[in-house]
Amino acid sequence: MLKVLSRIPKYKAFRVLGYPRILPMSLTLSLLYRCNSRCATCDVYKKPSQDLTLEEWTRIFKSIGKNLYWVTMSGGEPFLRKEIADIAANLYQYCEPNIINIPTNGLLCDTIERNVKKILESCPGVNLVINLSLDGVGEHHDRIRGVKGNFERLMKTYRLLKAIKHPNLTVGLHTVISKFNVDRMPEIVEFVRNVGPDSYITEIAENRVELGSTELDITPTREQYGRAVASLLHNFSVKDMKGVAKVAQAFRHQYYQLTMRWLEERRQIIPCYAGFASAQIAPDGDIWMCCVEAIPIGNLRENDYDFGRVWRSERAEQVRQRIRKGLCECPLANVSYVNMLHNVRSLIKVGKNYFGLEEPVKIGVKERPRLLKHEV
């Protein structure tokens, strides 16, 4: 973490002054759009793409070098990529990130277990976080995810991963809070508490260009989300977590607050560092500042796989100007973490969360009395 904090002044200068144009600390790699789920909140599986090959990803990693701290390997369903373990191994060899995070629907039970073991073996110094998607309990989960038997296979994958017992492996559950499950969050929370994952995180369903969900009515109201957060804060305390999961939970509690404000105000609540300290690479090699608007700043195939060339291009600066001016706004979770690192007030609150010193969080809404209090 000290390595990350030492780079914050440079990123702040980058956002304010335009220099130094250093490479991001957080990067999402979209390995493919293909997916074996048919979720009510996402149409990413409908998008065609010519996916970057293993060799192309390796050339990109070489151009980035050892600048990354957190990398998310996403999709689609990332474990549909047969080369996922090799992509991770080459990422680790050339970039040495501290954390690799992989979200998955859990459908490919044995494939996921086998590849997780391979990644742990080939990336000995990385903290590997596998987040299994849980949007409901039993048949309710299957209906939202659009696959019969998904819940049963998800839990089988969970048991297989928990049995690995590797010190660098964090096995978590992850819920997208949408209009389809927001009123059933107490039931989901109770189930998660009984299962006891290493971590439990949530994010709000939102309209993203990347996911093909811009026309879907999926985002809950602030009142609905506030009640869901009440259940989360009442049942999951930072002090009960350890390691990477504890750090993530400390940030997550602050993320809930920022998201509730976003639902009410629909603006950048704190300055956004997408395009400065974080970015995303699409399956076909386009670089986006983030996946919500998914505005390409250049394609790596057209730039000799040189990430820095695209990152420092005139087109990249044009998109950054939109972000600086606050012309975009969203509660994207990965970007929110990075934003909080660069916002003193938010970072102080995260630190208090981590050490159990934060005051009770007000999560009520204007029309209602305050709900449950933060336990930390």
Side-chain angles (χ1 to χ4, degrees):
M1 184 59 72
L2 291 177
K3 173 185 174 183
V4 172
L5 295 176
S6 67
R7 296 172 65 186
I8 286 177
K10 293 182 180 179
Y11 286 116
K12 292 177 77 71
F14 187 6
R15 194 181 193 281
V16 175
L17 305 174
Y19 293 94
R21 296 182 183 180
I22 59 176
L23 300 186
M25 68 167 71
S26 175
L27 192 61
T28 296
L29 314 177
S30 291
L31 303 184
L32 74 174
Y33 288 136
R34 285 182 293 119
C35 190
N36 46 359
S37 290
R38 296 294 181 264
C39 300
T41 57
C42 173
D43 283 340
V44 70
Y45 68 92
K46 296 180 179 179
K47 301 180 68 172
S49 72
Q50 295 183 337
D51 302 336
L52 292 165
T53 65
L54 171 62
E55 292 73 20
E56 288 177 308
W57 277 117
T58 302
R59 292 181 66 180
I60 295 167
F61 299 151
K62 288 180 179 178
S63 78
I64 295 173
K66 296 175 174 56
N67 294 283
L68 299 173
Y69 180 79
W70 180 295
V71 175
T72 297
M73 300 176 68
S74 186
E77 168 51 46
F79 285 99
L80 284 172
R81 278 298 297 257
K82 295 180 180 179
E83 316 93 330
I84 186 171
D86 295 325
I87 294 173
N90 289 354
L91 168 68
Y92 181 74
Q93 179 182 351
Y94 294 106
C95 302
E96 294 184 4
N98 294 68
I99 298 170
I100 295 178
N101 170 56
I102 308 178
T104 175
N105 58 28
L107 286 171
L108 304 173
C109 310
D110 297 332
T111 297
I112 294 170
E113 178 196 27
R114 181 174 64 254
N115 280 288
V116 166
K117 288 180 177 178
K118 286 182 178 180
I119 294 170
L120 289 168
E121 182 178 353
S122 63
C123 307
V126 84
N127 290 293
L128 179 61
V129 181
I130 306 295
N131 280 315
L132 297 156
S133 296
L134 175 74
D135 289 342
V137 179
E139 293 183 358
H140 183 236
H141 174 81
D142 293 354
R143 287 196 297 272
I144 292 176
R145 307 295 296 188
V147 177
K148 187 176 181 179
N150 191 335
F151 181 78
E152 182 178 345
R153 288 154 74 182
L154 164 70
M155 296 315 300
K156 177 182 177 181
T157 301
Y158 174 81
R159 292 189 294 270
L160 289 172
L161 295 183
K162 287 292 286 183
I164 294 175
K165 298 188 182 305
H166 192 288
N168 291 354
L169 176 62
T170 297
V171 181
L173 294 175
H174 169 263
T175 299
V176 175
I177 301 178
S178 70
K179 283 190 171 182
F180 308 112
N181 64 3
V182 64
D183 293 327
R184 302 181 72 159
M185 282 303 296
E187 176 189 10
I188 297 171
V189 165
E190 182 180 3
F191 175 81
V192 172
R193 280 181 58 86
N194 290 332
V195 170
D198 298 328
S199 70
Y200 178 55
I201 62 174
T202 71
E203 63 181 308
I204 193 168
E206 57 183 317
N207 301 120
R208 300 184 193 174
V209 172
E210 176 202 25
L211 302 181
S213 62
T214 55
E215 302 301 320
L216 300 181
D217 183 19
I218 56 178
T219 306
T221 66
R222 188 182 189 278
E223 290 79 4
Q224 290 174 319
Y225 186 73
R227 290 193 292 271
V229 168
S231 180
L232 290 166
L233 296 183
H234 182 64
N235 286 280
F236 295 100
S237 173
V238 177
K239 64 185 178 182
D240 296 329
M241 305 290 180
K242 296 180 180 179
V244 174
K246 183 173 183 178
V247 175
Q249 195 71 11
F251 274 91
R252 185 62 53 170
H253 281 208
Q254 181 61 14
Y255 165 78
Y256 296 146
Q257 285 291 97
L258 295 175
T259 300
M260 284 191 291
R261 286 188 59 190
W262 173 80
L263 284 167
E264 183 175 353
E265 302 174 32
R266 296 298 174 116
R267 65 176 181 85
Q268 286 186 21
I269 304 302
I270 59 177
C272 182
Y273 278 79
F276 303 93
S278 66
Q280 182 158 341
I281 301 176
D284 61 0
D286 278 347
I287 297 179
W288 306 327
M289 300 314 195
C290 82
C291 64
V292 175
E293 293 188 326
I295 300 173
I297 62 170
N299 187 278
L300 287 159
R301 282 174 168 153
E302 298 169 2
N303 287 274
D304 197 29
Y305 305 96
D306 186 337
F307 187 94
R309 181 191 298 178
V310 179
W311 189 246
R312 299 182 179 100
S313 67
E314 182 178 346
R315 174 58 178 162
E317 286 305 301
Q318 292 172 351
V319 177
R320 286 189 185 103
Q321 281 299 324
R322 295 187 71 257
I323 299 170
R324 288 189 181 101
K325 293 177 181 179
L327 298 180
C328 58
E329 38 77 20
C330 76
L332 184 63
N334 276 0
V335 174
S336 293
Y337 284 151
V338 175
N339 295 346
M340 283 184 266
L341 278 171
H342 293 81
N343 182 266
V344 174
R345 291 183 65 182
S346 294
L347 194 57
I348 289 173
K349 290 182 178 181
V350 170
K352 287 182 175 180
N353 286 340
Y354 184 86
F355 291 107
L357 302 174
E358 178 67 306
E359 66 275 9
V361 176
K362 297 178 181 180
I363 63 171
V365 296
K366 293 180 179 179
E367 298 80 6
R368 303 174 184 274
R370 186 167 63 186
L371 301 176
L372 297 173
K373 294 183 178 180
H374 197 315
E375 286 191 341
V376 178

